[in-house]
Amino acid sequence: MKIYLSIILFLVSKMVFAQTTPEQHRPHFHFSPPTKWVNDPNGMVYYKGEYHLFYQHYPDASVWGPMHWGHAISKDLLHWEHMPIALYPDSLGYIFSGSAVADVQNTSGFGKAGGETPLVAIYTYHDPIGEKAKRNDFQTQGIAYSLDKGRTWIKYTGNPVVKNPGIRDFRDPKVFWHASKKQWVMLLAAVDHIDFYTSKNLKEWVKAGEFGKGAGAQGGVWECPDLFPMKVVGKNETKWVLIVNINPGAPNGGSGTQYFVGQFDGENFKNDNPDDKTLWFEYGKDNYAGVTWANNPDGRRLLIGWMSNWQYANTVPTTTWRNAMTIPRELGLHSTSKGLRLFQKPVRETKLLRGESSSIAATSVEGFKNIGNQFVEKEISISFDLNKTTAKEFGIVLSNSKNEKVEIGYDVASKQFYIDRTEGGKKDFSKDYAVKQFAPRLSQSNLVTMHLLIDVASVELFADNGSTTMTSIHFPNEDFGTSQIFSKKGLTQVVNGQVWHLK
Ligand code: FRU
């Protein structure tokens, strides 16, 4: 009798507390830290079968604080093994964002004969004492190296390797090897532009060019840059893509990512479209500080972003940990009617997560139609025929039994995709969170396609072959078990689709 009673009590407590456990909203297939705070991805480098992901981390609280580099390793970009903290603050300051490289030619001299290739991390020191004293030179750049495949890190005794020339925001070094000039290049975000430095050995740096004053979006501070060559898909042409994160000033408010397409000679970047309007990498509110992996062996250009926004990252309703990363994405540079544009798609490894699947047959929908699969974590791929659509808005809606919902839709008249989380559950933690987010459609095809990756606390939309993307987090009081096609004020024609449970 006693045992039955305790089983019943256990089950009832499970039912009552299932939705209020401290781990509610913990992503299932996105990276999140084991505990406490995370912001930017840092130091992403591939080496000997392992993808390294370091990240801005405060191990003592679930809010931003003295920054460390947390660390995780993956063989497939999806399953992450948590590693010990890689870099702790020291007398020069907190460890802010930066990058890592594999110093294959041992230019730094950190390597030992017959030993592992040195992995070298290049990061910003943020000195809180200098900041408090209102000095302008409290951000400098330091390096550390690992001779055991990233397991342990030794800080260079000659730090800082780049002193501050008197610029308050002078940070987030992204370093890469420029093959034809045979030297390392460092990009630094400096308030409203990018500074380029060069070095032969990663230890001694000299200033080269600058780019960006007056260019692109200038509504906030420039942060976390990246620069890499990309072959234009289907053409025998290579361009350089410069990624610049900015906070605030994003199209839907708060933090966001812009990019420039042009040429780079090893010291100076030239924008191909100086008169062009800002190119936004992404339109959702929750993809920030994204940069790409170094040393990736197969030619793919892979990026991961922080799935949050500085407007509310410190107050989102989680407790034991706070914030997560986007799904890693593969970038492609495509020639479109509007010029060269970056497209994104989830890395192909994501397919490894696919479980049970069902197809969506051609059908016309007016109102709502269930798409069957009641798993919370899922992937949906669906296309709609605009020629046979009379609706004003259509798309996919996720909902629960508490009447909470998130709509991922297309607005026919304004030619914009949108994500509406205004009725998506918890929202009182910030006035900037519960808004309808819009993204102008790039494609002009009559077929509107939506590819969605849905986790317990996020949705990522890759529309029209990844030419328009949106990332958005959400915090329903009960997980979104129901997904439906919706069509408002008219009907929409579904051409076909597929749904997968993501394991
Ligand atoms: C971007 C950022 C970086 C900085 C880091 C501090 O989100 O502000 O510029 O290095 O976060 O945690």
Side-chain angles (χ1 to χ4, degrees), residues 39-40 56 64 67 96-97 171-172 223-224 288 310:
N39 59 291
D40 312 356
Q56 288 288 278
W64 191 89
M67 284 292 110
F96 269 22
S97 288
R171 58 177 178 265
D172 306 340
E223 299 184 317
C224 300
Y288 190 58
W310 279 116

Side-chain angles (χ1 to χ4, degrees), residues 177-382:
W177 178 250
H178 194 275
S180 59
K181 287 261 162 84
K182 294 197 179 59
Q183 59 189 11
W184 297 99
V185 176
M186 180 195 290
L187 277 72
L188 283 170
V191 187
D192 57 352
H193 70 277
I194 303 300
D195 280 341
F196 296 102
Y197 282 70
T198 59
S199 171
K200 295 281 181 201
N201 59 11
L202 293 165
K203 295 169 175 165
E204 291 142 48
W205 294 91
V206 289
K207 172 128 187 238
E210 270 184 32
F211 168 79
K213 285 190 178 136
Q218 292 284 353
V221 176
W222 283 21
E223 299 184 317
C224 300
D226 198 354
L227 177 64
F228 42 84
M230 285 206 95
K231 222 176 145 253
V232 181
V233 173
K235 300 235 161 110
N236 203 1
E237 191 186 6
T238 296
K239 291 284 177 189
W240 286 77
V241 176
L242 173 64
I243 292 204
V244 176
N245 285 277
I246 177 168
N247 177 52
N252 281 291
S255 357
T257 310
Q258 59 177 323
Y259 66 97
F260 302 87
V261 179
Q263 345 236 350
F264 182 67
D265 63 6
E267 282 160 5
N268 285 287
F269 177 82
K270 198 175 144 290
N271 185 4
D272 275 358
N273 318 296
D275 307 322
D276 217 7
K277 60 179 182 6
T278 305
L279 304 180
W280 291 107
F281 179 68
E282 144 95 47
Y283 283 85
K285 281 185 81 102
D286 301 308
N287 182 357
Y288 190 58
V291 287
T292 67
W293 258 277
N295 205 35
N296 189 44
D298 59 12
R300 288 185 297 169
R301 186 49 68 173
L302 306 177
L303 176 141
I304 193 168
W306 176 45
M307 199 155 56
S308 197
N309 189 311
W310 279 116
Q311 286 179 327
Y312 41 74
N314 274 286
T315 56
V316 292
T318 62
T319 50
T320 51
W321 91 99
R322 211 178 243 123
N323 304 316
M325 298 298 175
T326 66
I327 207 75
R329 295 142 187 233
E330 180 178 350
L331 309 185
L333 189 62
H334 291 252
S335 155
T336 76
S337 62
K338 300 228 168 98
L340 294 174
R341 293 291 183 272
L342 272 186
F343 288 20
Q344 308 178 45
K345 58 184 178 192
V347 288
R348 58 170 179 254
E349 287 83 349
T350 312
K351 294 196 176 111
L352 298 170
L353 302 178
R354 285 179 179 171
E356 205 174 297
S357 102
S358 55
S359 51
I360 304 168
T363 175
S364 81
V365 177
E366 184 153 18
F368 298 91
K369 187 178 166 55
N370 270 349
I371 44 180
N373 188 320
Q374 299 308 308
F375 293 111
V376 177
E377 318 79 13
K378 56 180 152 313
E379 178 178 356
I380 302 175
S381 172
I382 187 164

